[in-house]
């Protein structure tokens, strides 16, 4: 007889769990048959002994199938993207409408920020009136109306993952490659995708600080997703500095608006084109990756992505003409102050995680899931690696609710940005590697 005790006993002794065992555990996690203690023991056993490739695929599929799996009939490929998290990473807000403008359908199920990285849903909710939690019927309507929708997962999407995710932090099993892979992919594959691209970040602002760790995660994700039947490619990208020069929900939305309105270019466009190019090529909407990247770039440059974004915002409850009047709608902090350099020099290093935690301390992120988020606070105008600054020149601009919070953030920013006497050499490329 299969039950939690027998499965946990075999796992404790290092036995290989079969697909039936993993499916039973996933269903038990979803319906409550598996207790919290048993869930913690399961997570610890996986972390200690690991799964082989077949086991990783089986766990991912079992967690996916523990709830609703969406199906689509839209006359075109259903595509999505996932990022492992960084600072100033608002790519989803740009990429989803750009993909829609290129003929794809993008029902993107996203998450909230936790720790030093921001959450896509939190960014969108900085737009007044916009709602990110919708039932399946409305979710489908938004996708039909705009070609893309960025929403939170409903309770019936991968419920086994919700249970397991809740125990991983308190059981010190967060860093298990097997559990990370199954957690990410079970939710994404439940979206009924025809293709997925993964932005696996490495550097000071990422969860994976070194390239080898990022590469191992990317390989596990790609192999598992492809074995599960979803064509998937990973792009390893640099997070040794914030992706956008703004950190904080409303500030990052404002940055995306500037890109969509053609006012600025930069890394957000570069990485969106790289990720989107892979998706369009894999889905047959572009001849190759470069042609796909060019198509994404064109959609951003000529305003088609902006039009899709505006449609999506309105369909999700936001202002009808948000892009034309974003400064009027986005919240503004009470205290806005420049953080100036106390010496001259070249920007040689940036501690992205420290900057992210400064935004959390301002109230712009969460230490625990129940924390409330202030959408107006954050950092803007953050200097870039290799930039020369003179004494008194701004390193960043802090947006805070109170003067004391601004002072504390200023101290963190000055410590997080290293100035040196000479220009740095060998600045990292944004796109480091692609894993098919």
């Amino acid at each position: 007889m299969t039950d939690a005790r027998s499965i946990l006993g075999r796992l404790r002794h290092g036995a290989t769990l079969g697909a039936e065992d993993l499916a039973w555990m996933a269903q038990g996690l979803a319906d409550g048959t598996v207790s919290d203690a048993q869930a913690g023991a399961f997570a610890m056993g996986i972390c200690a002994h690991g799964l082989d490739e077949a086991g990783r695929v089986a766990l991912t599929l079992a967690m996916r199938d523990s709830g609703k799996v969406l199906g689509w009939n839209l006359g075109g490929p259903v595509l999505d993207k996932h990022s492992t998290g960084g600072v100033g990473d608002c790519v989803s807000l740009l990429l989803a409408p750009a993909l829609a403008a290129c003929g794809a359908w993008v029902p993107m199920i996203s998450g909230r920020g936790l720790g030093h990285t921001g959450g896509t849903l939190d960014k969108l909710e900085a737009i007044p009136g916009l709602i990110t939690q919708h039932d399946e019927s409305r979710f489908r309507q938004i996708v039909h109306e705009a070609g893309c929708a960025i929403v939170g997962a409903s309770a019936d999407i991968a419920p086994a993952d919700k249970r397991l995710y809740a125990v991983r932090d308190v059981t010190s099993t967060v860093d298990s490659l097997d559990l990370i892979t199954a957690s990410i992919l079970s939710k994404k594959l439940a979206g009924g995708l025809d293709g997925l691209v993964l932005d696996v970040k490495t550097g000071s602002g990422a969860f994976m600080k070194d390239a080898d760790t990022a590469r191992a995660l990317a390989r596990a994700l790609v192999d598992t997703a492809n074995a599960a039947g979803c064509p998937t490619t990973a792009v390893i990208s640099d997070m040794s500095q914030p992706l956008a020069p703004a950190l904080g929900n409303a500030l990052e939305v404002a940055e995306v608006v500037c890109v969509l309105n053609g006012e600025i270019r930069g890394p957000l466009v570069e990485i969106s084109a790289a990720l989107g190019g892979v998706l369009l090529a894999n889905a047959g909407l572009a001849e190759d990756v470069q042609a796909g990247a060019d198509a994404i770039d064109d959609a951003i440059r000529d305003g088609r992505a902006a039009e899709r974004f505006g449609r999506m915002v309105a369909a999700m409850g936001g202002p009808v003409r948000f892009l034309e009047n974003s400064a009027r709608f986005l919240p503004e902090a009470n205290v806005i102050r420049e953080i100036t350099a106390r010496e001259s020099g070249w920007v040689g290093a940036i501690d992205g995680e420290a900057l992210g935690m400064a935004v959390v301390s301002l109230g712009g992120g969460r230490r625990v899931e129940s924390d409330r988020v202030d959408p107006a606070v954050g950092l803007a105008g953050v200097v870039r690696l290799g930039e020369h600054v003179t004494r008194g020149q701004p390193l960043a601009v802090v947006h805070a609710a109170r003067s004391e919070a601004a002072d504390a953030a200023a101290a963190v920013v000055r410590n997080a940005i290293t100035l040196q006497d000479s220009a740095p050499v060998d600045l990292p490329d944004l796109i480091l590697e692609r894993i098919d």
Side-chain angles (χ1 to χ4, degrees):
M1 175 183 171
T2 299
D3 62 11
R5 290 180 66 185
S6 65
I7 292 171
L8 292 172
R10 293 198 301 278
L11 182 60
R12 181 166 64 89
H13 290 101
T16 300
L17 296 184
E20 287 186 11
D21 295 326
L22 295 166
W24 193 97
M25 285 298 295
Q27 193 55 51
L29 287 164
D31 64 22
T33 303
V34 172
S35 70
D36 286 347
Q38 290 167 334
F42 178 68
M44 186 61 73
I46 296 293
C47 190
H49 297 290
L51 295 171
D52 59 16
E53 186 173 338
R56 195 180 292 157
V57 174
L59 179 61
T60 299
L61 290 174
M63 288 168 60
R64 179 200 68 180
D65 295 340
S66 67
K68 176 84 173 179
V69 178
L70 300 177
W72 302 91
N73 185 21
L74 296 167
V78 175
L79 306 179
D80 200 358
K81 160 259 181 191
H82 176 79
S83 168
T84 57
V87 289
D89 180 5
C90 38
V91 168
S92 292
L93 306 188
L94 188 60
L95 180 57
L99 286 167
C102 293
W105 299 89
V106 191
M108 187 177 287
I109 298 175
S110 293
R112 301 191 179 279
L114 190 61
H116 73 278
T117 64
T120 299
L121 299 183
D122 299 318
K123 301 180 208 303
L124 274 176
E125 288 175 355
I127 301 173
L130 191 146
I131 299 168
T132 58
Q133 292 297 143
H134 298 273
D135 61 26
E136 184 183 337
S137 175
R138 184 58 190 149
F139 181 26
R140 290 181 181 277
Q141 283 183 313
I142 296 167
V143 173
H144 276 280
E145 290 172 24
C148 57
I150 304 174
V151 303
S154 62
D156 56 1
I157 293 291
D161 177 63
K162 290 183 176 65
R163 280 287 312 286
L164 203 53
Y165 193 90
V167 304
R168 282 169 56 205
D169 186 44
V170 296
T171 56
S172 191
T173 55
V174 170
D175 59 354
S176 163
L177 193 66
D178 299 314
L179 296 179
I180 292 171
T181 299
S183 178
I184 290 171
L185 292 179
S186 61
K187 295 189 289 287
K188 285 298 182 183
L189 299 184
L193 305 179
D194 298 314
L196 176 65
V197 69
L198 301 156
D199 182 8
V200 180
K201 297 187 176 298
T202 183
S204 68
F207 284 112
M208 279 73 64
K209 306 299 184 191
D210 65 272
D212 287 342
T213 306
R215 191 176 296 112
L217 177 59
R219 185 78 267 167
L221 287 165
V222 168
D223 289 347
T224 303
N226 280 291
C230 181
T232 299
T233 296
V235 171
I236 299 178
S237 66
D238 176 65
M239 185 45 70
S240 56
Q241 62 182 325
L243 186 58
L247 289 73
N249 297 308
L251 296 171
E252 290 184 49
V253 172
E255 196 74 19
V256 170
V257 169
C258 288
V259 174
L260 288 169
N261 285 336
E263 298 167 26
I264 58 174
R265 301 277 295 168
L268 281 178
V269 176
E270 182 182 347
I271 197 165
S272 295
L275 297 169
V278 167
L279 280 172
L280 294 180
N282 287 352
L285 292 176
E287 184 177 337
D288 54 32
V289 171
Q290 185 57 56
D294 292 342
I296 294 292
D297 190 273
D298 289 343
I300 295 170
R301 191 186 298 272
D302 65 22
R304 286 179 292 134
E307 191 273 335
R308 295 283 185 162
F309 182 82
R311 255 198 261 178
M312 180 184 74
V313 167
M316 294 176 67
V320 172
R321 300 183 66 82
F322 173 71
L323 282 174
E324 294 87 343
N325 301 282
S326 61
R328 169 188 160 202
F329 293 115
L330 290 172
E332 187 173 281
N334 295 328
V335 179
I336 301 175
R337 182 187 303 165
E338 290 183 344
I339 303 171
T340 56
R342 290 178 170 164
E343 59 185 3
S344 299
W346 301 84
V347 180
I350 298 175
D351 185 341
E353 183 171 353
L355 295 183
M357 290 310 299
V359 174
V360 172
S361 296
L362 287 166
R366 295 178 182 82
R367 288 188 174 88
V368 296
E369 281 192 77
S370 58
D371 285 349
R372 292 177 63 86
V373 171
D374 182 346
V377 301
L379 301 170
V382 179
V383 292
R384 307 293 294 171
L385 287 176
E387 185 176 340
H388 185 267
V389 296
T390 57
R391 182 180 178 184
Q393 182 179 335
L395 297 170
V397 177
V398 61
H399 294 240
R402 302 179 312 280
S403 291
E404 316 86 77
D407 292 340
V412 173
V413 170
R414 289 193 177 101
N415 287 331
I417 297 174
T418 301
L419 299 180
Q420 58 189 49
D421 293 335
S422 58
V425 295
D426 298 327
L427 291 175
D429 293 330
L430 181 57
I431 307 300
L432 303 174
E433 190 176 342
R434 192 172 83 222
I435 295 178
D436 296 306

